[in-house]
C-alpha cells in the first residue's frame, strides 16, 4: 500500500507506511514536512487521475 496516492481533507497525500492496524502514515504531495498519522477510513483513494476518486472500505 506504500506509495499509493490518497486524498485527505481535499489535499493530495502519499501513503508512506501502513501500520496494519487501520492506521497509515501519509505525506503531503506538495509539502514534504506535512506528515500525518490517520485512520485509513478517513482517506479517499485516487485512481491515478485528476478526477474519479472513490472511497473504499
Amino acid at each position: 500500500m506504500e506509495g499509493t496516492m490518497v486524498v485527505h481533507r481535499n489535499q493530495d497525500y502519499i501513503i508512506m507506511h501502513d501500520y496494519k492496524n487501520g492506521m497509515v502514515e501519509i505525506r503531503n504531495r506538495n509539502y514534504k514536512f506535512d506528515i500525518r498519522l490517520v485512520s485509513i477510513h478517513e482517506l479517499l483513494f485516487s485512481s491515478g487521475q485528476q478526477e474519479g476518486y472513490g472511497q473504499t472500505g
Side-chain angles (χ1 to χ4, degrees):
M1 181 172 288
E2 284 83 1
T4 303
M5 296 293 300
V6 294
V7 176
H8 181 256
R9 297 187 180 177
N10 293 327
Q11 295 285 323
D12 292 329
Y13 285 84
I14 300 170
I15 294 180
M16 301 303 292
H17 186 75
D18 182 0
Y19 289 96
K20 307 293 185 199
N21 63 355
M23 300 297 288
V24 292
E25 183 178 68
I26 58 174
R27 180 178 58 85
N28 192 306
R29 213 173 111 187
N30 299 316
Y31 306 102
K32 71 178 186 176
F33 296 113
D34 182 4
I35 299 172
R36 300 167 188 238
L37 182 65
V38 298
S39 168
I40 199 163
H41 300 291
E42 297 178 37
L43 303 174
L44 295 175
F45 285 80
S46 173
S47 64
Q49 301 171 347
Q50 188 66 20
E51 56 186 315
Y53 295 126
Q55 189 168 5
T56 64

